[in-house]
Amino acid sequence: MRADAGRRLAELGIDRYVLRSAHAAAPATEAPARVSPAGPGPAPAPATAVAASAPGTAARVLLYAGTGGAGALLADIGRSLSLLRLDWAPGVEDDAAVSSAAGFVVLGEDLARRVAAGLPTDRLGACEWIIAGQPDDLARGAAAKRALWGELKRLARTLSARDAAAKH
């Protein structure tokens, strides 16, 4: 396929799927994110990132994950965000990063409440949110994973439409 053909397909809204091959790079190993289960208190720890945004660039999407042993799931979500051409980073407590983010992917409702509690009210409605189940539950449920991947695609479409509207 020509180099510009993929870009043209994306502009038309057509998803291009490439089969995995035996030559594919081995997935990076990583430790699961650690978040204090206590309610109020320290901000959530960042999820381990695979190919996140380059340091120094503002991430448009922040990925927060609760405790659990689903490190492979977090790596898959990170790769999905990268394939959808979204600049992303693991969830951080840096106010500048949070205030510039256009979207949040949060795994776990309790964690979503804590993340949202740290944001100003006007930012809550201005951002796109994906709140999924706990990482362990997502790792076991095929239907929940399918729903999450669909929401990630919706997030990418919404943010690209915002960019297009901002350019005009």
Side-chain angles (χ1 to χ4, degrees), residues 4-152:
D4 63 336
R7 181 184 51 80
R8 288 184 184 155
L9 288 172
E11 288 174 356
L12 293 171
I14 298 172
D15 293 332
R16 182 175 158 246
Y17 295 96
V18 179
L19 295 177
R20 294 181 185 168
S21 67
H23 307 33
T29 58
E30 60 196 49
R34 302 275 185 244
V35 176
S36 171
T48 304
V50 175
S53 300
T57 61
R60 299 193 57 218
V61 177
L62 295 178
L63 172 61
Y64 288 92
T67 58
L73 175 69
L74 298 177
D76 288 344
I77 293 171
R79 279 191 292 276
S80 297
L81 290 170
S82 296
L83 287 173
L84 290 168
R85 297 186 193 128
L86 291 174
D87 295 326
W88 68 279
V92 293
E93 51 185 283
D94 178 26
D95 290 335
V98 172
S99 65
S100 66
F104 295 90
V105 177
V106 186
L107 304 183
E109 290 184 24
D110 294 336
L111 182 58
R113 285 187 193 99
R114 284 188 279 162
V115 171
L119 289 174
T121 308
D122 59 335
R123 290 287 301 145
L124 288 173
C127 296
E128 294 295 319
W129 288 84
I130 297 176
I131 302 171
Q134 294 295 331
D136 290 338
D137 296 338
L138 282 172
R140 289 188 294 256
K145 278 192 259 187
R146 259 193 311 276
L148 177 60
W149 304 142
E151 286 297 310
L152 291 174

